[in-house]
Amino acid sequence: MHLPDGIVDSPPLLLGAALIASGAVATSLSRVAQRGAQRNLAWTGTLTAFVLALQAVNVPAAPGVSAHALGASLLTLMLGPAHAIAALACVVLLQALLFADGGVAALGINLITIAVVPVLSVATLRAWLPEKTTLSMLAIAGTTLGNLLAAALLSTILVVHAGAPAAFTYGTLIGLQTAAGLVEGVLTARALSHLERRAPRLLFPPHVQLRPEPTRRMWTWAAVGLGVALVLVPVASKAPDALTVVLAHAQSAP
């Protein structure tokens, strides 16, 4: 759901979104710098590369429509919210500058809907839910909620500032993104459950009573994940995503 430039013609909105996103990213980077000794920054960079590859893989979500994972819940539950926002900000920035996926002027909106809202949804649920809540439950609930809220926010922006038809926009974006979030949440839950059994030190917060996870094993897990994502890129669905469908419908509407 990368919003391109030229769709939203509202300088105050674009500027406001840029300021909010900049504040969130700056705060995250400050916390990353403070906690850099506690979390492996190279590991964070490796997971960022994995998510960058993962977001390039579109899978069928409905007839003629595709969707892709965001990776926000995976990053949040493995690295913590500060590292997750910083990592996703790098992903969104690289996609905009290197792959023309998402506009530069709309970068603030994309950062909010792809990084800030999904990550804070998972982090907030983790803070509010009982401590006995499993990582699997957090992953499913957090991913679904993050996708729903991000889709609702983006839908509102398109309806109010781009003249998109409300019923079609809300129904398509929220419906498909929530369903995609549920599927991503289940897959993330399975991955985290496996890591919780085999490599709990890789999860956030780290279990300090355990011995540090060997660096070699960390890179093994990273290589496997990145390899899987790269293998799937060539077979990704060519169908447009939900946002592209909504924008095409809005432009063709009288």
Side-chain angles (χ1 to χ4, degrees):
M1 288 200 310
H2 296 78
L3 185 68
D5 286 338
I7 302 299
V8 175
D9 187 18
S10 174
L13 173 64
L14 296 174
L15 178 59
L19 291 175
I20 293 172
S22 298
V25 173
T27 301
S28 299
L29 289 174
S30 175
R31 293 184 179 180
V32 167
Q34 294 172 4
R35 301 172 184 175
Q38 300 176 19
R39 305 297 295 170
N40 192 319
L41 295 181
W43 175 238
T44 301
T46 303
L47 288 178
T48 302
F50 169 68
V51 170
L52 179 62
L54 186 67
Q55 288 197 11
V57 181
N58 279 35
V59 297
V65 185
S66 66
H68 64 77
L70 296 181
S73 60
L74 180 68
L75 291 175
T76 305
L77 295 174
M78 290 191 69
L79 302 173
H83 283 73
I85 289 178
L88 284 169
C90 291
V91 169
V92 173
L93 187 60
L94 286 173
Q95 288 169 332
L97 297 180
L98 298 183
F99 306 111
D101 189 4
V104 175
L107 192 60
I109 295 175
N110 289 330
L111 283 171
I112 292 172
T113 57
I114 295 174
V116 178
V117 170
V119 168
L120 292 184
S121 297
V122 178
T124 301
L125 281 181
R126 186 166 203 170
W128 286 358
L129 292 177
E131 291 185 4
K132 62 181 180 180
T133 304
T134 64
L135 283 178
S136 295
M137 293 175 62
L138 278 171
I140 295 172
T143 308
T144 305
L145 177 63
N147 276 32
L148 188 156
L149 293 178
L153 175 59
L154 186 56
S155 296
T156 301
I157 291 173
L158 293 176
V159 170
V160 175
H161 295 282
F168 183 81
T169 301
Y170 281 108
T172 301
L173 278 184
I174 294 179
L176 289 177
Q177 288 304 123
T178 301
L182 180 59
V183 174
E184 181 186 347
V186 171
L187 295 176
T188 302
R190 291 176 63 88
L192 292 174
S193 178
H194 186 69
L195 286 175
E196 194 171 22
R197 294 192 305 270
R198 300 292 299 274
R201 186 71 184 184
L202 298 182
L203 302 176
F204 178 87
H207 301 291
V208 294
Q209 72 272 20
L210 300 177
R211 290 182 300 171
E213 194 68 25
T215 302
R216 184 176 180 180
R217 179 174 293 184
M218 293 174 65
W219 287 111
T220 299
W221 285 109
V224 170
L226 186 58
V228 170
L230 292 175
V231 167
L232 291 176
V233 169
V235 296
S237 173
K238 302 300 182 183
D241 63 13
L243 177 58
T244 303
V245 171
V246 167
L247 295 179
H249 185 81
Q251 291 171 355
S252 63

